[in-house]
Amino acid sequence: MRQIVLDTETTGLSPKSGHRIIEIGCVELLDQQISGESFQVYLNPDRKVGYGAYKKHGISDSFLRNKPRFEDIVDEFMDFLDGDELIIHNARFDVSFIDAELWLSYYDSGASIKEFCSIIDTLSIARRLFRGQKNTLDALCERLNVDASRRKLHGALLDAEILADVYLKMI
């Protein structure tokens, strides 16, 4: 069975406010083992990165200026996902951004990612397993003894790698 652990970094908190994806990171799991295959891309959002978002991930406007736009990589991204199951922490957030990007790029008439892939939300799993506790990725790493020492700032690929370890310990 193939699963994809996915994370995004964005310009802000809401695609409804025009915020966009600036990084996508994916890690492939095969039969619940990290395969070593991944997908990572930085994107030009055609807008400024919000200050709060910049403080979390450190990705600057100048760094993104010459990166491809989502519509330039959407086929490669969707080919990598290949309709497989997605594992996402706080899936509602990432799915809302992916759906907004699919709509803006006119990919398959703006269909939702849920029409191509099933989704497992690790936040929902954590809330069932650890009721009443903090269930951020950092809190889960500490609770499950997952090494997150490389994580000084958020990064989509790094967070997907860490989430893969967390997920495999939760299941």
Side-chain angles (χ1 to χ4, degrees):
M1 171 175 61
R2 182 174 186 262
Q3 298 169 299
I4 303 297
V5 183
L6 181 145
D7 190 52
T8 64
E9 296 302 332
T10 64
T11 62
L13 295 175
S14 173
K16 290 180 181 177
S17 298
H19 290 286
R20 306 283 303 270
I21 294 174
I22 58 171
E23 183 189 7
I24 300 170
C26 301
V27 173
E28 179 186 65
L29 301 179
L30 291 176
D31 298 322
Q32 299 181 336
Q33 300 287 321
I34 297 170
S35 74
E37 292 295 317
S38 63
F39 175 90
Q40 193 257 354
V41 65
Y42 291 100
L43 300 167
N44 181 338
D46 288 319
R47 67 162 290 147
K48 298 267 187 215
V49 174
Y51 179 71
Y54 173 76
K55 282 179 59 175
K56 285 193 126 194
H57 52 60
I59 302 170
S60 69
D61 296 321
S62 61
F63 175 78
L64 297 170
R65 187 171 295 121
N66 296 318
K67 302 300 183 219
R69 289 167 175 79
F70 184 85
E71 60 266 18
D72 299 326
I73 61 89
V74 65
D75 290 326
E76 180 184 4
F77 173 59
M78 295 301 287
D79 286 348
F80 183 82
L81 299 184
D82 195 29
D84 291 313
E85 188 171 65
L86 302 181
I87 299 164
I88 307 171
H89 195 73
N90 192 12
R92 186 181 330 167
F93 178 84
D94 295 276
V95 166
S96 70
F97 274 94
I98 293 168
D99 285 352
E101 295 290 354
L102 290 173
W103 184 82
L104 288 169
S105 68
Y106 302 103
Y107 185 84
D108 202 10
S109 301
S112 171
I113 193 68
K114 293 176 185 175
E115 295 175 42
F116 302 98
C117 303
S118 60
I119 297 168
I120 292 176
D121 187 348
T122 55
L123 180 58
S124 296
I125 294 170
R127 286 178 174 160
R128 280 194 312 273
L129 292 174
F130 309 111
R131 292 186 192 280
Q133 296 181 53
K134 193 173 182 181
N135 289 304
T136 64
L137 186 55
D138 289 330
L140 291 171
C141 287
E142 188 173 320
R143 188 175 303 127
L144 298 170
N145 296 314
V146 170
D147 180 14
S149 61
R150 299 179 296 149
R151 189 178 193 229
K152 307 300 181 229
L153 293 170
H154 288 244
L157 183 58
L158 175 59
D159 288 359
E161 291 168 350
I162 292 169
L163 181 58
D165 290 337
V166 165
Y167 172 72
L168 293 171
K169 286 196 174 195
M170 285 197 304
I171 59 171

